[in-house]
Amino acid sequence: MRLVLYSIKSKIVIFAVIATLLPTISLSLLSFKQNEALISDSVTRELRILADNTNHQLDQWAGENMLAIRALSTSSPVIEGLTTLKQFSDSESASAVKQTQSVMASYLRSVQIKLDEVLELTVFDATRKIVASSSTSTPEVREPPEQWTHTSLTSGTIAIPPAWNDRFATATISIIYPVLSYDSQLIGAIAATLDLGTFESRLAEIKKFSSGEIILLDQHGKVLLGSAPGVDHQAVLSPHQWELIQMFDEPISYDGLSYPKAIGLAHTSENIPVTILVEQDHSAIQAAWIKLRNRFLEFVSILIIIVTAVALYMGHSIVTPLKQLINAVKGIVEGNLDIYLPAKRRDEVGQLTDIFNQMTRALRNKHIEIMTANQAMQQQNQLLQKLSITDGLTGLYNRTKLNTILSEQLARFKRHDRPFCLLMIDIDYFKTINDKLGHIVGDRILVTVASVLLKSIRTIDYAARYGGDEFVVILTETNSSAAIKTAERIRAEVNSACLAFKEHPAHITLSIGITQSYYDDITPNDLIARADAALYEAKESGRDRVHCADA
């Protein structure tokens, strides 16, 4: 088969030769991405493991200390001392009070010496007054929380979050546990100031097998302690860096605390309000990426120059005529079906132009047919939609639509606290009237009742045929007293309307049951059942009357 140079097929063949270079680019890119992903995954995994191990050790450290403080809050010297102080209420007992406080202070100092992580212990009475402390100076925790609960006995309350303490020259955290008497009455509290700096030895153990560094930050991003030698409480993250670290759950690059440029991951402890920041040296990680990236860019740059030159030539010979077709298709999409393109070429583009012109002619013919069919279908859909929600005889909403309206009104009532009322209406002795006067008159009575209902309610209310000779009216944003007035008006107007029949005047009465929406109502059936019960009471009371279930 002879190769025709002006055909699109020949140009595609020429381009295919150049395209053989693309697999090389793809493989190089894939290899680069895979190596980059492997390095990134490895760094992320190592940082997460380091953060998880630190968090686990921090929780364990906190749990051990909280357990010790909780045990101290239930110790006999503390409970008995506070109980004794509670009994002394006059000035004559001042010496006894001082003696009791002295004994408690001695006991707190003896306990504090034995607990390496505890820097200070302070006991408060039930009036939030300090009664004893292991410290000879002003206690770190000066007053306990305003409320103590029994839950605090197991979890404790952090009185002072972790922060650098200049007095003790270390990072500290203060925890409070309530003290209960032997009969479980609140008689005071015990506060312990813990030395968070003792956790630094654990940080050294955690990072022993990792190339990263660990830093603990307070709630404001200030350094509490870290595993790196150059990191102390004077080091601090900038507000922007602190915001970035808290925002992302993945490792990010920033000006580090342990390294000039670091890749770090932050994890917030659940038990203690500190942020665990783990870092690795960004330059060490990026070295492999940079080398691979440079080689990749050099190779791709050469290929891009070659492919660009070929693409420029092909763009002139292929893309230009295709743009005419594209613009014509856009015109069709915008609704212009009168477009015609002259076919001047003998290649595939010329054939495509002929087919395009045939297509536009066919579209014009089909468009006329579709518009005609669509108009007829819309009319049918409107009729079907109306029939699906209305009663065929009265034109009121049917029972299915009624349930939907009730569900919507219940949801709106619970959302906006705007009550509504439900009227259950029954025509008295309708079966007897229907048998006596005939079904035609019976249907006329039903239509008349429906017409009265529609005239008696507002545009925001709803009327529906519940079934047979029963009707339902929903009065939105209405209370029971207003609903009773509306019901009485409906009852009177129906009687007047039916007496006005020329051929067969009928004395028609209604029994109406009313109920108002309750917050306990869950489904439409809850209101319907209550309204039905009220309707039953109206019938039992002699019919031709209104009975409200909420009266």
Side-chain angles (χ1 to χ4, degrees), residues 317-511:
S317 60
I318 298 177
V319 176
T320 301
L322 288 179
K323 283 183 177 180
Q324 297 177 353
L325 281 171
I326 292 173
N327 293 331
V329 171
K330 287 181 179 179
I332 291 177
V333 172
E334 293 172 357
N336 183 12
L337 299 180
D338 296 326
I339 296 176
Y340 175 79
L341 294 178
K344 299 179 179 179
R345 301 180 55 155
R346 296 177 296 170
D347 58 10
E348 289 84 348
V349 173
Q351 298 176 17
L352 184 60
T353 302
D354 288 334
I355 295 174
F356 174 81
N357 291 330
Q358 296 175 19
M359 179 189 70
T360 54
R361 286 193 296 269
L363 284 175
R364 284 192 292 270
N365 296 332
K366 290 293 182 183
H367 179 70
I368 297 173
E369 297 176 5
I370 291 173
M371 291 301 295
T372 303
N374 185 48
Q375 185 176 3
M377 187 178 296
Q378 286 180 352
Q379 295 174 351
Q380 291 294 326
N381 287 340
Q382 291 174 357
L383 178 61
L384 289 174
Q385 184 177 8
K386 182 178 180 181
L387 292 175
S388 67
I389 62 173
T390 57
D391 175 59
L393 176 63
T394 63
L396 301 180
Y397 288 127
N398 58 23
R399 191 165 179 173
T400 301
K401 181 62 175 178
L402 171 66
N403 288 332
T404 302
I405 295 172
L406 278 174
S407 298
E408 293 173 352
Q409 290 300 316
L410 274 174
R412 186 176 293 110
F413 164 60
K414 294 181 179 181
R415 187 165 58 247
H416 300 297
D417 193 23
R418 295 179 179 176
F420 66 94
C421 287
L422 181 70
L423 278 62
M424 182 72 77
I425 303 170
D426 183 79
I427 302 175
D428 296 330
Y429 305 109
F430 179 74
K431 185 176 184 305
T432 303
I433 297 172
N434 202 32
D435 294 340
K436 182 179 179 180
L437 300 179
H439 292 289
I440 295 177
V441 176
D443 289 347
R444 186 177 177 186
I445 292 173
L446 293 175
V447 172
T448 301
V449 171
S451 176
V452 171
L453 292 179
L454 291 175
K455 294 177 181 178
S456 301
I457 62 176
R458 302 164 298 176
T459 56
I460 61 174
D461 300 327
Y462 304 92
R465 185 182 180 188
Y466 191 70
D469 61 329
E470 288 188 326
F471 297 85
V472 170
V473 172
I474 300 173
L475 301 177
T476 62
E477 300 184 12
T478 303
N479 54 28
S480 298
S481 59
I484 292 173
K485 295 179 181 179
T486 301
E488 292 290 356
R489 185 171 67 254
I490 291 173
R491 190 171 61 84
E493 291 183 2
V494 166
N495 193 359
S496 300
C498 293
L499 285 174
F501 289 172
K502 294 181 180 180
E503 298 175 356
H504 299 283
H507 179 67
I508 301 301
T509 62
L510 301 180
S511 296

Side-chain angles (χ1 to χ4, degrees), residues 64-80 82 104 107-113 115 118 120-123 134 153 175 177-180 189-194:
E64 292 170 355
N65 284 283
M66 287 185 177
L67 185 62
I69 306 306
R70 182 187 175 192
L72 186 59
S73 70
T74 59
S75 63
S76 297
V78 174
I79 296 175
E80 293 173 359
L82 287 173
M104 292 180 67
Y107 172 71
L108 294 177
R109 283 191 290 271
S110 65
V111 173
Q112 186 252 319
I113 292 173
L115 300 175
V118 178
E120 183 180 88
L121 293 171
T122 305
V123 175
S134 65
L153 290 174
I175 300 174
Y177 272 94
V179 178
L180 303 182
I190 184 168
T193 299
L194 304 179

Side-chain angles (χ1 to χ4, degrees), residues 14-252:
I14 295 174
F15 181 75
V17 175
I18 305 300
T20 55
L21 298 174
L22 294 180
T24 305
I25 301 176
S26 301
L27 291 175
S28 299
L29 180 61
L30 180 62
S31 175
F32 175 76
K33 289 295 182 182
Q34 286 179 341
N35 281 277
E36 187 178 28
L38 286 174
I39 296 173
S40 178
D41 290 344
S42 176
V43 171
T44 302
R45 183 167 55 255
E46 185 173 353
L47 290 177
R48 289 194 186 280
I49 292 173
L50 192 58
D52 290 341
N53 289 340
T54 304
N55 184 56
H56 175 72
Q57 289 293 328
L58 188 60
D59 289 345
Q60 185 178 5
W61 179 86
E64 292 170 355
N65 284 283
M66 287 185 177
L67 185 62
I69 306 306
R70 182 187 175 192
L72 186 59
S73 70
T74 59
S75 63
S76 297
V78 174
I79 296 175
E80 293 173 359
L82 287 173
T83 303
T84 302
L85 291 174
K86 187 177 180 181
Q87 296 172 354
F88 297 138
S89 59
D90 52 23
S91 59
E92 296 178 359
S93 306
S95 61
V97 169
K98 289 183 178 180
Q99 183 178 358
T100 302
Q101 291 177 335
S102 177
V103 172
M104 292 180 67
S106 298
Y107 172 71
L108 294 177
R109 283 191 290 271
S110 65
V111 173
Q112 186 252 319
I113 292 173
K114 296 177 182 179
L115 300 175
D116 296 335
E117 286 86 359
V118 178
L119 297 173
E120 183 180 88
L121 293 171
T122 305
V123 175
F124 301 84
D125 62 13
T127 64
R128 303 163 60 84
K129 179 181 178 182
I130 298 175
V131 297
S133 176
S134 65
S135 175
T136 56
S137 58
T138 303
E140 189 71 17
V141 181
R142 294 182 175 84
E143 63 177 21
E146 295 180 359
Q147 295 181 349
W148 304 313
T149 63
H150 285 275
T151 305
S152 303
L153 290 174
T154 57
S155 62
T157 300
I158 296 178
I160 301 178
W164 182 261
N165 192 312
D166 292 329
R167 173 185 168 190
F168 294 109
T170 185
T172 62
I173 179 174
S174 297
I175 300 174
I176 281 188
Y177 272 94
V179 178
L180 303 182
S181 63
Y182 293 125
D183 56 354
S184 298
Q185 298 296 319
L186 181 66
I187 59 175
I190 184 168
T193 299
L194 304 179
D195 183 4
L196 191 59
T198 60
F199 190 71
E200 191 168 357
S201 60
R202 297 200 185 191
L203 293 183
E205 290 295 325
I206 296 170
K207 65 148 288 183
K208 185 179 293 183
F209 302 102
S210 173
S211 59
E213 298 291 347
I214 310 168
I215 303 167
L216 299 187
L217 306 173
D218 65 10
Q219 294 174 303
H220 306 290
K222 296 181 180 179
V223 175
L224 297 173
L225 64 144
S227 61
V231 177
D232 55 25
H233 71 279
Q234 295 180 348
V236 62
L237 288 172
S238 67
H240 177 67
Q241 291 174 331
W242 175 237
E243 183 180 355
L244 285 178
I245 288 174
Q246 289 182 307
M247 185 183 303
F248 295 101
D249 191 37
E250 296 293 330
I252 62 172

